[in-house]
Amino acid sequence: MLLSIHHVTFPIEDPLLKFLIELIIILCIPLLLNKIKVPHLLGLIIAGAVIGPNGFNVLSRDSSVVVTGTTGLLYIMFLAGLEIDMGDFKKNKWKSLTFSIYTFAAPFVLGFLGGYYILHFSILTSVLFASLFSSHTLIVYPMVSSLGIAKNLSVNITVGGTMITDVLSLLVLAVVVGMSQGEVGTSFWVQLSASMAVFTLIVLLVFPIIARWFFKNVEDKISQYIFVIVMIYMAALLAELAGIEAIIGAFFAGLALNRLIPHTSSLMNRVEFVGNAIFIPFFLISVGMLIDFNAFIQSWETLGVAGIMLVASIGGKYLAAMLTKKTFRLTNDEGQLIFGMSAASAAATLASVMVGYNIIISENEAGEPIRLLNEHVLNGSILLILISCTVSSFVAMASAQRIAEADKDNTVSGKSEEKEKILLAINHTTTVEKLVNLGLLVKTITNKDRLFGINVINEEANESSAKNAEKILGAAVNMASAADVKLNAITRHDNDVVSGINNVIKEQGITDLIIGLEDEKGFSTAFTDNLYNGYLRNKNANVIVYHAVQPVSTIKKYIVLVPANAEKDAGFFHAMLRIWNIGRNSGASMIFYGSSSTLDILKRIIKKANIEAKFNAVTTWQQAQEAAYNLGDNEGLIVMMADRGMYSYFPQMRAVPELLNQKLNGHNYMLIYPFSKTYKTITEKRAVSNHHDFAEIGKVIGKIFK
């Protein structure tokens, strides 16, 4: 082995040494560049150019590099579709469409004028040349997302617009290729339209059905991750069969699985971790390997073509971003972020250039091939990739960091800085995973270390009971850490489980207590007694009773029952925040049933919550119960409850647990009992009662959350 290392020849062929070099680059580049505040993705591209075949030829751009690089490219597009807020996207679909028109048209017009009038390309070549600049690659999306602003309006608009403009530019490619080969006719358009329609229906309708079944029946975490990778490649393959690029298939796969992989789940953390650690860096290195600096030194014509490409692409994207900012009255930072995210040209641009370069339309007098796109465009596209990614990295990260710092909107929409502390009562092995998953779902995204798990051990318990408690809490800690969340384990020795939990609530300042019901037992007489005479005696914590028969990520819709006058209860808005977090983090839609006055308040606040919601006014509680009894498959129930003495309490509430045992034991449901602590002042009480004054309600909520 030592002899073989001393006689290394370039490019290196030994697979172990090749992989080691690439890993060292991925490890060291971020560490070095973070100190000088240079985006590491730029360093990875440059490193690829240095070690690539056009640099020092340390490594060749062989099939292994291409495969991992392709996976990284698909990963970027998949994550963009997976992390997009579908509720936000539906609300802002016209904004995304408008941006896509701007960002497609502006670079296209500039590119066509440059290609036809300056470079004297044919009309067909000029159209393909112009389409190169209309698409863009969300190469900085993982870094922008890591700053916690993936749900920002400008990010949402850009991601949605990317899907549309990339499809349009790749459609132009398909049409130009067909025309260059004389294949465009009625049958061509019919076949293309039909294949795209079939592809869209399969991915967006069939994939979610398959995925929901898989996640409900397969609990193995490794299998779930491999399943996700299979879905990415399957969608990419279907896209190619439909006549469009694989990256569009990966994006659609992300949309298809969007609601089945909660943003706060351990599976999402695995998907992001592996992609950001391995596949995406390999893609960036593989892009760098295409860069040939000698081509620019040897040919002034290549530099001229590259200059036109840069003006058309970056200038067009800047113009489109500023038009979008003006149209929708966005802030300067949001406009800059749109420009930064859309400025990078890599995936679709490179794919289109390679296709155009490989198409030979004729031969010159010397017998040399005349290509649809010549080598000057090919080399110019490499420079475009390098410079556009550089501009994208610096502009996007600078504006994203400013937005992240300024994004402190303290509202009940879930963006507040509420110091929540969520306690999971973990006493049974069968409920550990269910409770942890719900805890990850109801918490605000910024809460990474205020999740607690408690197991109460009887004072007279033997050593085996203590070991079992330690094992249960250990499993909960591991599950939470898989989602990059710290769960603080508490083992409590007490003669009574209820008093042990209530004491911890007081000692730790717990804001929410989540208790799980065992599937086969439901609401037992003993549990119901402990609930009303024990847990609810603690007035400072929101109490959630949870019953699950299927993974929470597979629930498509929740029926939410809200009693009349619930908005007057002290903990109402705190409890609603938990419901909104479930909808926002899981993507499930919410159907609210309640009185007209209560729903009016929710309609006004829901605009800030970014979830899909519908509202049905009812005049009696019996009408609301009927809606609950008609739950379908993959639907869950949330009931807002109250204890005696609260504004929304009525005697029939005591019968709800028994009715759930009888009617809905085969469904997921949760009962939420808002805390009932008294207000500090009469002014605060009056402000909440006067629910028409939304601004004043917001101030009171802020005080309550503190």
Side-chain angles (χ1 to χ4, degrees):
M1 181 63 187
L2 290 175
L3 286 174
S4 63
I5 292 177
H6 283 297
H7 294 85
V8 168
T9 57
F10 294 145
I12 295 172
E13 298 296 335
D14 183 86
L16 292 178
L17 191 54
K18 287 173 59 177
F19 197 68
L20 177 60
I21 291 173
E22 290 170 323
L23 288 179
I24 290 174
I25 291 173
I26 295 171
L27 173 65
C28 295
I29 289 296
L31 296 177
L32 295 174
L33 296 186
N34 284 343
K35 294 182 179 180
I36 57 176
K37 297 185 177 179
V38 175
H40 66 266
L41 64 85
L42 177 59
L44 292 172
I45 293 175
I46 295 174
V50 172
I51 68 169
N54 299 313
F56 291 105
N57 198 29
V58 177
L59 300 179
S60 62
R61 195 173 187 272
D62 57 15
S63 59
S64 64
V65 174
V66 173
V67 168
T68 51
T70 300
T71 303
L73 173 57
L74 297 179
Y75 231 100
I76 290 175
M77 298 303 295
F78 174 72
L79 285 176
L82 188 64
E83 294 187 356
I84 189 173
D85 190 311
M86 295 305 295
D88 247 2
F89 178 71
K90 289 186 177 180
K91 289 179 183 178
N92 301 310
K93 58 181 178 292
W94 298 116
K95 292 184 175 68
S96 292
L97 179 60
T98 302
F99 167 67
S100 68
I101 293 173
Y102 289 155
T103 197
F104 180 84
F108 187 91
V109 171
L110 292 176
F112 182 83
L113 294 176
Y116 190 72
Y117 290 103
I118 299 178
L119 300 176
H120 306 294
F121 290 156
S122 67
I123 291 180
L124 198 62
T125 300
S126 296
V127 169
L128 180 57
F129 181 74
S131 71
L132 302 179
F133 319 121
S134 295
S135 63
H136 50 257
T137 303
L138 296 172
I139 204 166
V140 297
Y141 181 82
M143 291 195 299
V144 170
S145 177
S146 68
L147 293 175
I149 61 169
K151 297 180 184 296
N152 183 274
L153 177 60
S154 58
V155 177
N156 203 275
I157 289 175
T158 308
V159 172
T162 296
M163 173 182 65
I164 300 172
T165 193
D166 280 6
V167 169
L168 289 176
S169 63
L170 293 172
L171 281 177
V172 171
L173 172 65
V175 172
V176 169
V177 170
M179 293 180 68
S180 67
Q181 298 173 349
E183 297 177 358
V184 175
T186 303
S187 60
F188 171 82
W189 291 108
V190 170
Q191 181 179 352
L192 182 62
S193 300
S195 61
M196 284 194 63
V198 171
F199 157 76
T200 303
L201 290 174
I202 291 175
V203 176
L204 296 185
L205 296 181
V206 178
F207 273 34
I209 295 174
I210 297 173
R212 183 169 282 107
W213 175 88
F214 188 89
F215 291 141
K216 285 172 67 174
N217 292 278
V218 179
E219 297 182 358
D220 181 68
K221 306 305 179 186
I222 296 176
S223 298
Q224 289 183 351
Y225 177 77
I226 298 300
F227 172 80
V228 170
I229 301 298
V230 169
M231 290 291 100
I232 296 173
Y233 268 92
M234 186 70 72
L237 177 61
L238 289 174
E240 289 187 339
L241 293 175
I244 55 179
E245 281 298 314
I247 56 175
I248 302 300
F251 184 85
F252 272 62
L255 294 178
L257 299 183
N258 183 285
R259 297 176 184 272
L260 292 165
I261 305 179
H263 297 166
T264 56
S265 67
S266 58
L267 180 56
M268 173 66 88
N269 190 55
R270 290 188 190 93
V271 170
E272 291 180 327
F273 176 80
V274 176
N276 293 330
I278 301 294
F279 293 123
I280 294 176
F282 269 92
F283 163 68
L284 298 173
I285 293 174
S286 70
V287 169
M289 287 182 173
L290 294 169
I291 298 173
D292 183 4
F293 294 105
N294 292 325
F296 309 113
I297 300 174
Q298 296 170 358
S299 173
W300 287 104
E301 187 176 350
T302 296
L303 287 176
V305 172
I308 293 173
M309 296 175 75
L310 288 169
V311 171
S313 179
I314 297 178
K317 295 303 181 186
Y318 183 79
L319 179 60
M322 293 304 102
L323 286 172
T324 305
K325 188 193 85 169
K326 292 289 185 183
T327 302
F328 303 115
R329 299 178 180 179
L330 303 176
T331 66
N332 288 331
D333 284 334
E334 288 175 328
Q336 290 293 323
L337 182 56
I338 291 176
F339 167 60
M341 291 186 65
S342 62
S345 297
T349 299
L350 189 59
S352 298
V353 168
M354 295 305 296
V355 170
Y357 181 75
N358 290 327
I359 293 178
I360 300 174
I361 53 179
S362 63
E363 293 183 353
N364 60 18
E365 295 179 356
E368 297 172 339
I370 298 176
R371 303 176 184 274
L372 191 60
L373 293 176
N374 59 36
E375 65 273 6
H376 300 302
V377 176
L378 176 62
N379 291 326
S381 68
I382 301 303
L383 185 61
L384 171 62
I385 290 173
L386 176 62
I387 294 180
S388 66
C389 288
T390 302
V391 172
S392 175
S393 301
F394 281 105
V395 174
M397 290 310 297
S399 55
Q401 286 171 351
R402 290 193 295 270
I403 291 173
E405 291 171 0
D407 192 13
K408 301 184 184 299
D409 184 11
N410 296 319
T411 68
V412 294
S413 64
K415 299 175 184 176
S416 67
E417 295 298 319
E418 177 201 3
K419 299 300 181 183
E420 66 186 12
K421 289 186 176 181
I422 300 172
L423 178 65
L424 311 178
I426 305 173
N427 289 314
H428 305 287
T429 304
T430 56
T431 61
V432 174
E433 185 172 4
K434 298 171 183 177
L435 289 178
V436 172
N437 287 337
L438 181 63
L440 295 174
L441 212 58
V442 302
K443 75 177 187 64
T444 53
I445 293 177
T446 55
N447 180 358
K448 293 289 187 180
D449 58 359
R450 296 191 297 276
L451 192 64
F452 297 79
I454 183 173
N455 189 292
V456 180
I457 305 174
N458 190 283
E459 289 284 10
E460 299 178 357
N462 54 32
E463 185 178 347
S464 63
S465 297
K467 288 184 178 180
N468 185 56
E470 183 179 343
K471 179 181 178 181
I472 291 175
L473 288 174
V477 169
N478 292 335
M479 290 176 189
S481 62
D484 197 25
V485 173
K486 178 184 177 182
L487 186 142
N488 303 279
I490 301 173
T491 302
R492 183 82 178 193
H493 293 268
D494 205 297
N495 289 326
D496 179 66
V497 172
V498 176
S499 63
I501 291 176
N502 282 344
N503 287 333
V504 169
I505 290 175
K506 295 174 184 177
E507 294 165 4
Q508 297 290 340
I510 298 297
T511 59
D512 299 86
L513 169 65
I514 302 179
I515 310 168
L517 295 175
E518 295 183 79
D519 292 346
E520 64 278 4
K521 292 183 179 179
F523 278 95
S524 64
T525 302
F527 179 85
T528 304
D529 181 65
N530 286 337
L531 175 65
Y532 286 107
N533 298 315
Y535 300 121
L536 295 182
R537 299 284 67 83
N538 196 315
K539 305 297 183 181
N540 296 299
N542 194 39
V543 178
I544 301 176
V545 181
Y546 181 48
H547 175 267
V549 296
Q550 68 183 80
V552 68
S553 62
T554 62
I555 300 296
K556 294 192 295 186
K557 179 174 69 177
Y558 286 95
I559 302 298
V560 185
L561 309 186
V562 185
N565 298 315
E567 69 276 9
K568 298 179 181 179
D569 292 328
F572 172 73
F573 294 101
H574 181 98
M576 290 308 303
L577 175 59
R578 300 296 156 235
I579 295 174
W580 291 330
N581 280 347
I582 292 173
R584 181 171 50 251
N585 293 332
S586 71
S589 59
M590 300 286 175
I591 313 297
F592 290 91
Y593 288 83
S595 65
S596 297
S597 59
T598 302
L599 296 184
D600 286 342
I601 297 175
L602 296 182
K603 289 176 184 177
R604 294 170 67 179
I605 301 177
I606 210 73
K607 296 177 182 178
K608 295 281 187 178
N610 297 329
I611 65 172
E612 288 189 63
K614 294 182 180 179
F615 303 90
N616 295 313
V618 293
T619 55
T620 65
W621 185 249
Q622 285 69 27
Q623 289 176 316
Q625 283 184 335
E626 287 300 320
Y629 295 155
N630 292 322
L631 282 182
D633 292 337
N634 304 313
E635 294 181 357
L637 174 68
I638 300 175
V639 185
M640 187 78 80
M641 300 288 283
D643 198 9
R644 283 193 177 95
M646 298 175 70
Y647 285 102
S648 61
Y649 176 80
F650 54 91
Q652 292 92 326
M653 278 189 176
R654 289 298 179 111
V656 169
E658 183 57 34
L659 291 174
L660 292 175
N661 279 347
Q662 296 174 3
K663 304 277 189 178
L664 296 175
N665 208 37
H667 289 269
N668 282 28
Y669 61 76
M670 65 185 76
L671 304 184
I672 302 182
Y673 293 83
F675 59 75
S676 58
K677 69 177 181 180
T678 57
Y679 298 98
K680 294 180 180 179
T681 67
I682 297 298
T683 303
E684 292 181 3
K685 181 176 180 180
R686 188 181 298 117
V688 175
S689 297
N690 183 15
H691 51 75
H692 296 289
D693 189 345
F694 179 64
E696 197 168 3
I697 288 177
K699 294 178 183 178
V700 175
I701 294 168
K703 293 180 181 179
I704 292 174
F705 281 175
K706 291 180 182 178

